[in-house]
Amino acid sequence: MFHIVNRKEWKREAYFNHFSQLRCTFSMTANINITELLKQTRERKMKLYPALIYMGSKVVNQHSEFRMSYNDKGELGYWEVLHPSYSIFHKEEELFSNVWTNFSNIFVEFYNRFMQDSVDYGDHPRLQAKGNPPTNIHPISIIPWTSFTGFNLNINNEGNFLLPIITWGKYFKEAESVFIPLSVQVHHAVCDGYHSSLLINEIQALADRCMDWLDKE
């Protein structure tokens, strides 16, 4: 479902117009402590990647600012729910495929859907492996070969792409803790530094409290 914003009463209208005219986007990168998350997923023999995707999508779906977009009529609004669209790398071809999975707030359900999609489409080395992606998807991916300190993805679409772009990096050990770079890119028309910080901080909180959701059914 797509909810149209009443622009006449929207508190952010002036900010939206200002930053839309500037076509202003920005990105932030932070290191997320995944020490406990990595330990718990390994003990359960679970893959880390779907857990990272789940955390990003869960926070995105908790705040309408991260679900802002235009519908097919060019009307501004926000999606009721967004599903993650993520990349799967094909080592032999050195190419990736886009796959999307229906999001669920229950991690076990999402994990099983992810694993099934990986089986069904993970060996299809083409750009859109699953095909027919819904309109309400958001991009989230990983660059597992580099522990970067910054990342920016430039999209030339007249400045109309409003959804956040979430990119994970290669995790690394520092002292007794494990960290992973997280880059969040947003459009300033709908998100400020407060919102991007909120996304990063809430993802960190989910990683810290992973025992609360890893086994919950």
Side-chain angles (χ1 to χ4, degrees), residues 10 12 16 19 65-66 68 76 162-163 186-192 195:
W10 190 33
R12 193 175 176 83
F16 180 84
F19 289 113
E65 291 86 357
F66 303 135
M68 299 291 297
L76 180 68
L162 304 178
L163 298 175
V186 297
H187 200 302
H188 210 342
V190 294
C191 290
D192 303 320
H195 302 99

Side-chain angles (χ1 to χ4, degrees), residues 1-4 61 67 71 77-83 136:
M1 180 182 296
F2 188 80
H3 301 272
I4 298 174
N61 279 296
R67 305 194 306 274
N71 63 12
Y78 61 94
W79 292 103
E80 183 74 22
V81 63
L82 286 176
H83 306 290
N136 56 325

Side-chain angles (χ1 to χ4, degrees), residues 152-171:
N152 187 66
L153 184 65
N154 300 304
I155 298 178
N156 183 16
N157 71 333
E158 304 301 322
N160 291 329
F161 189 84
L162 304 178
L163 298 175
I165 300 172
I166 297 174
T167 309
W168 298 92
K170 178 182 179 180
Y171 65 78

Side-chain angles (χ1 to χ4, degrees), residues 43-214:
E43 287 181 358
R44 291 163 174 75
K45 294 182 170 53
M46 285 180 160
K47 292 182 178 295
L48 178 64
Y49 190 27
L52 299 176
I53 294 173
Y54 170 82
M55 292 192 300
S57 287
K58 184 173 177 63
V59 175
V60 163
N61 279 296
Q62 288 176 164
H63 302 278
S64 61
E65 291 86 357
F66 303 135
R67 305 194 306 274
M68 299 291 297
S69 186
Y70 293 100
N71 63 12
D72 55 4
K73 297 179 181 178
E75 297 169 311
L76 180 68
Y78 61 94
W79 292 103
E80 183 74 22
V81 63
L82 286 176
H83 306 290
S85 174
Y86 50 91
S87 57
I88 293 180
F89 185 69
H90 306 288
K91 186 175 182 179
E92 291 185 3
E93 293 82 2
E94 295 183 348
L95 294 171
F96 69 92
S97 294
N98 286 326
V99 178
W100 56 273
T101 295
N102 284 326
F103 179 72
S104 171
N105 269 312
I106 300 173
F107 173 69
V108 175
E109 287 186 3
F110 175 76
Y111 186 86
N112 290 335
R113 293 174 185 174
F114 174 94
M115 295 304 296
Q116 188 60 55
D117 282 335
S118 297
V119 170
D120 293 343
Y121 308 105
D123 293 329
H124 296 242
R126 57 179 182 267
L127 183 58
Q128 298 295 343
K130 190 172 181 179
N132 299 317
T135 309
N136 56 325
I137 56 174
H138 74 97
I140 182 168
S141 60
I142 190 168
I143 303 176
W145 309 280
T146 305
S147 295
F148 52 74
T149 56
F151 179 81
N152 187 66
L153 184 65
N154 300 304
I155 298 178
N156 183 16
N157 71 333
E158 304 301 322
N160 291 329
F161 189 84
L162 304 178
L163 298 175
I165 300 172
I166 297 174
T167 309
W168 298 92
K170 178 182 179 180
Y171 65 78
F172 60 94
K173 190 171 184 179
E174 189 172 282
E176 298 302 315
S177 298
V178 179
F179 296 89
I180 187 169
L182 169 64
S183 176
V184 177
Q185 185 166 323
V186 297
H187 200 302
H188 210 342
V190 294
C191 290
D192 303 320
Y194 167 79
H195 302 99
S196 55
S197 299
L198 188 70
L199 194 151
I200 290 170
N201 291 337
E202 290 192 1
I203 287 177
Q204 179 64 75
L206 283 172
D208 293 339
R209 302 194 306 268
C210 60
M211 291 291 290
D212 294 345
W213 50 268
L214 275 173

